[in-house]
Amino acid sequence: MSDGIMSKAATMEIPISSNGDAGSLPEDDGLEQDLQQVMVSGPNLNETSIVSGGYGGTAEGIIPTSTIKGSGLHQPHPSPAVAGEEVVRGIAVEKFDIVKKWGINTYKCTKQLISERFGRGSRTVDLELETQIELLRETKRKYECVLQLARALTNHFYSLVQTQHALGDAFADLSQKSPELQEEFGYNAETQKLLCKNGETLLGAVNFFVSSINTLVNKTMEDTLMTVKQYETARLEYDAYRTDLEELSMGPRDASTLCRLDAAQSQFQSHKDKYEKLRADVAIKLKFLEENKIKVMHKQLLLFHNAISAYFAGNQQQLEQTLKQFNIKLKTPGAEKPSWLEEQ
């Protein structure tokens, strides 16, 4: 076996052994989802180029016209209709070739996936990288929970502020119309007005927190996970073509097999290069994501803590200072929407 097959860099091949519970295998939804993932990326038939010669170029038995120039033979000019048919045939052949290659690739990957799931094959594993990927997925799930709760808090608190605003207006109206209770209704109206103002300031901070966590989870983390999905697909293809090459290497060495072996070696090397490139891309993205996550969350958690603490301590000055510290600007009073509300 060639050195290209045995080189594993930071990875290793591990056999997939059955857990002995064959009855549970058909109920595993993961296999069906992975098969759907293999099948979903079909061939792109829009990215075809016009093939000269009508059937894929100067194949064997087709003589280029340049070789008979000056021979005295008259080459009739093809009619537009004939030329159009040749172009259509060329595109059709190229598309057929794309579909054929996609079909072969899908077959090999499906075979590899089923082999792994049923304990009859081996897969390449980078333990450190896959641990980091699983940790990212778990972190994303937990952050999504925090995001959901923070949005619920924002909505509930918004309703509270709206109620305080309406209650303050009612107290102010009654203060004007109830001379005997004018003072009592008056200071209650002022209290609700102050609470409403502080509430809108707090909501400005909480909404900024929600917006930042949303960007981190649904843009930054999701972008990294998209690269992870490409890496996992490349890993499956790499193992599929590795297995194919290993099977051919153990067969007879006749002329036909040697030709297929050379082709398999070339395809294996191509998928190996793709796999290693994506593995490096994922490692880099995970590193930068971790650094970015720490930086973002350090700022946002400090903001959330200081704003909540200042509000419930009744410290209006500290609350306003918190927004200035984190450069959060509220909308001007009198806007149609409350000053804290931003589009997400």
Side-chain angles (χ1 to χ4, degrees):
M1 195 176 297
S2 66
D3 294 337
I5 304 175
M6 300 303 296
S7 174
K8 298 296 181 290
T11 66
M12 65 178 180
E13 294 171 22
I14 61 172
I16 309 299
S17 60
S18 173
N19 59 9
D21 185 10
S24 65
L25 290 174
E27 297 177 4
D28 183 9
D29 292 336
L31 177 59
E32 181 179 353
Q33 292 173 357
D34 288 340
L35 285 171
Q36 290 175 349
Q37 181 65 29
V38 170
M39 295 297 295
V40 74
S41 55
N44 186 353
L45 300 182
N46 293 324
E47 296 184 0
T48 57
S49 59
I50 296 176
V51 181
S52 60
Y55 289 95
T58 56
E60 183 179 355
I62 299 178
I63 303 175
T65 55
S66 59
T67 62
I68 55 175
K69 283 185 178 179
S71 62
L73 295 177
H74 176 67
Q75 298 295 322
H77 295 287
S79 67
V82 173
E85 289 177 2
E86 290 181 354
V87 169
V88 170
R89 279 200 301 270
I91 294 175
V93 168
E94 187 172 357
K95 288 186 175 182
F96 174 78
D97 187 53
I98 292 172
V99 173
K100 181 181 176 182
K101 289 179 180 177
W102 172 80
I104 293 172
N105 185 75
T106 301
Y107 166 75
K108 291 182 185 295
C109 290
T110 303
K111 178 183 174 184
Q112 175 67 23
L113 182 62
I114 294 174
S115 177
E116 291 176 7
R117 288 302 178 93
F118 286 88
R120 295 191 297 269
S122 64
R123 66 185 294 262
T124 302
V125 178
D126 186 324
L127 291 175
E128 181 180 359
L129 191 62
E130 293 197 11
T131 299
Q132 292 176 358
I133 290 171
E134 184 54 37
L135 180 60
L136 170 58
R137 288 187 168 125
E138 180 64 21
T139 300
K140 185 171 183 286
R141 285 191 290 268
K142 291 180 178 179
Y143 275 43
E144 285 172 339
C145 182
V146 170
L147 181 60
Q148 181 182 8
L149 291 171
R151 281 175 169 159
L153 176 65
T154 303
N155 291 332
H156 294 322
F157 209 81
Y158 171 66
S159 297
L160 173 62
V161 170
Q162 290 294 91
T163 303
Q164 289 174 330
H165 188 277
L167 188 58
D169 288 344
F171 282 151
D173 181 61
L174 285 168
S175 175
Q176 298 294 326
K177 297 178 180 178
S178 306
E180 69 283 2
L181 294 172
Q182 182 176 10
E183 184 177 350
E184 289 82 352
F185 276 126
Y187 61 63
N188 271 282
E190 289 299 318
T191 299
Q192 293 302 316
K193 182 178 179 181
L194 178 61
L195 287 173
C196 186
K197 181 179 183 298
N198 289 347
E200 289 196 356
T201 305
L202 174 62
L203 282 168
V206 175
N207 191 66
F208 185 78
F209 174 85
V210 168
S211 178
S212 298
I213 303 303
N214 179 62
T215 299
L216 178 64
V217 171
N218 293 314
K219 292 184 179 178
T220 311
M221 289 185 177
E222 188 61 31
D223 175 70
T224 301
L225 286 174
M226 287 297 294
T227 305
V228 167
K229 290 177 182 178
Q230 294 172 3
Y231 157 74
E232 290 173 338
T233 299
R235 196 283 306 164
L236 181 64
E237 291 177 340
Y238 165 71
D239 279 335
Y241 283 88
R242 173 183 57 78
T243 301
D244 188 48
L245 180 59
E246 289 172 351
E247 290 175 353
L248 283 172
S249 299
M250 292 185 293
R253 296 302 182 93
D254 54 31
S256 174
T257 304
L258 287 174
C259 182
R260 291 171 58 198
L261 193 60
D262 287 342
Q265 176 67 50
S266 175
Q267 291 173 334
F268 164 76
Q269 188 62 46
S270 174
H271 286 286
K272 181 174 182 286
D273 293 342
K274 179 182 178 182
Y275 162 72
E276 291 181 343
K277 179 184 182 301
L278 281 167
R279 184 179 63 185
D281 290 346
V282 168
I284 291 171
K285 284 201 171 188
L286 286 171
K287 179 178 181 293
F288 284 126
L289 174 61
E290 183 64 18
E291 294 173 356
N292 185 50
K293 182 193 72 175
I294 293 172
K295 181 180 178 181
V296 169
M297 292 308 298
H298 174 78
K299 174 180 178 180
Q300 294 305 318
L301 290 171
L302 187 62
L303 162 68
F304 192 84
H305 173 270
N306 290 353
I308 292 285
S309 298
Y311 175 82
F312 284 101
N315 192 335
Q316 180 182 0
Q317 182 179 0
Q318 182 62 40
L319 183 59
E320 293 176 351
Q321 183 61 36
T322 298
L323 267 69
K324 290 180 181 178
Q325 178 185 352
F326 292 94
N327 297 317
I328 302 173
K329 295 181 180 180
L330 301 179
K331 292 182 180 179
T332 56
E336 292 184 3
K337 293 183 180 180
S339 59
W340 61 271
L341 191 60
E342 299 291 343
E343 294 295 333
Q344 296 182 23

